[in-house]
Amino acid sequence: MKIIIHGGFFSESNQSHEVKVAKQDSLKAIAKKSYDFLQNNSAFDTVAYAVSLLEDDDLYNAGIGSQIQSDGIIRMSAAIMDGETQKMSGVINIQNVKNPIFVAKELMKEDDRVLGGNGAKKYANENGFGDFSTEIPQRRKEYEEKLKTGGKGTVGAVALDKHGKLAVATSTGGKGFEIPGRISDSATVAGNYANQFCAVSCTGVGEDIVSNATSAKIVTRVTDGLTIENAFDRTFEELKEIDGFAGAIGIDSEGNVFHQDSYPTMVFASFDGVDFEVFG
């Protein structure tokens, strides 16, 4: 059993040592909680749980504390994919829900599994997800400052359970001050993809990740016989051709865990029940 999670990027030049330590501690705690949850639950349920914990922590740009778009409104996107069934469900630009990932998970039972905007919100309300403002005090001022330094962030989780099943989930609050209606990579197969061989979640600039088809490429290459390390390396070499800004985490069916970024440092943590690896 393995779990790896990510929480966007960290820059020494515009974030303090205290923020770095806070994110390290947070990611380590969430990875441990998620691994404990994985003991008695599927990879599919676990990645949703892990991402919900990341959404609930205002250190990250997902759920509570999400970025604000150019018209002053928070719109969030999230997706989940089951490697065994190869089905993905998601929400795009949903407003005023606490955990977009749980709405995405709820949609897995539907024939129409990816909903956007007002339709996603209506579905959430009809299925017991109440109204919840994810904006926290001072967020507008904070994100105006972050925008000047180009901060980017998304959260995600990949898990391998005791039955050898893989799953992935990804959630984002956007890039901040974007044109309303802009769609990120997080609820697409470019940013969130899994099958029986590999599962990958991305963070970074959504347009670059979509242009590179990052998650889908890595998973397909592992499926076709490349090692997970080689699949990551080849895909990130192609990302360089467009000067793409991205990070990715993944696990293959053999339990190999891998992560890579094009512009350090992606914040991540992994745990296998014995050893932690946390960004430094």
Side-chain angles (χ1 to χ4, degrees):
M1 293 184 292
K2 303 284 181 69
I3 181 90
I4 183 168
I5 60 177
H6 70 69
F9 283 84
F10 176 84
S11 171
E12 298 281 0
S13 65
N14 58 55
Q15 290 177 290
S16 69
H17 178 72
E18 288 74 17
V19 170
K20 181 178 182 179
V21 171
K23 288 189 173 183
Q24 289 171 331
D25 291 345
S26 167
L27 288 166
K28 191 172 181 179
I30 290 172
K32 176 64 166 60
K33 287 179 182 178
S34 300
Y35 184 85
D36 291 345
F37 185 88
L38 183 60
Q39 302 300 303
N40 298 305
N41 294 277
S42 67
F44 179 76
D45 288 336
T46 300
V47 293
Y49 173 72
V51 166
S52 76
L53 296 179
L54 290 160
E55 289 176 335
D56 289 346
D57 191 328
D58 63 17
L59 283 170
Y60 309 107
N61 173 32
I64 295 172
S66 289
Q67 298 260 24
I68 299 167
Q69 297 191 351
S70 61
D71 60 353
I73 294 172
I74 292 172
R75 298 178 179 88
M76 302 165 289
S77 296
I80 187 168
M81 189 164 183
D82 186 335
E84 181 179 17
T85 64
Q86 295 186 50
K87 290 183 177 181
M88 187 177 85
S89 56
V91 291
I92 297 171
N93 287 333
I94 193 170
Q95 300 177 40
N96 295 318
V97 295
K98 183 181 180 185
N99 293 112
I101 194 61
F102 285 148
V103 184
K105 185 185 180 190
E106 185 74 14
L107 277 163
M108 189 61 80
K109 68 184 184 183
E110 308 291 349
D111 292 331
D112 303 322
R113 293 194 302 274
V114 181
L115 299 181
N118 292 336
K121 176 59 174 166
K122 182 174 183 291
Y123 179 86
N125 288 154
E126 290 173 347
N127 284 272
F129 296 91
D131 287 344
F132 185 92
S133 174
T134 54
E135 184 175 338
I136 61 175
Q138 304 301 315
R139 181 56 78 204
R140 292 178 187 273
K141 180 179 178 181
E142 292 171 7
Y143 276 119
E144 285 170 2
E145 292 303 312
K146 287 184 180 181
L147 190 65
K148 295 175 185 176
T149 58
K152 304 292 186 294
T154 293
V155 304
V158 180
L160 174 72
D161 65 26
K162 60 187 175 183
H163 302 294
K165 309 300 183 184
L166 290 158
V168 59
T170 309
S171 182
T172 187
K175 65 180 183 179
F177 292 85
E178 60 265 63
I179 297 170
R182 179 252 184 188
I183 294 173
S184 76
D185 65 288
S186 297
T188 76
V189 297
N192 185 90
Y193 196 63
N195 65 11
Q196 62 184 310
F197 298 101
C198 187
V200 174
S201 173
C202 289
T203 183
V205 176
E207 286 75 8
D208 294 347
I209 294 166
V210 169
S211 295
N212 181 246
T214 306
S215 289
K217 275 186 177 178
I218 294 170
V219 172
T220 299
R221 283 169 167 158
V222 173
T223 302
D224 289 344
L226 287 187
T227 65
I228 190 170
E229 181 176 358
N230 288 340
F232 266 79
D233 285 345
R234 183 173 296 183
T235 303
F236 273 78
E237 281 297 318
E238 293 167 350
L239 190 66
K240 287 181 182 177
E241 296 174 6
I242 60 170
D243 193 27
F245 188 117
I249 58 172
I251 304 177
D252 68 18
S253 58
E254 302 301 315
N256 297 303
V257 179
F258 202 78
H259 58 86
Q260 192 164 336
D261 46 38
S262 60
Y263 286 89
T265 299
M266 176 178 60
V267 304
F268 72 91
S270 64
F271 188 54
D272 62 4
V274 177
D275 296 318
F276 281 104
E277 183 183 5
V278 182
F279 84 99

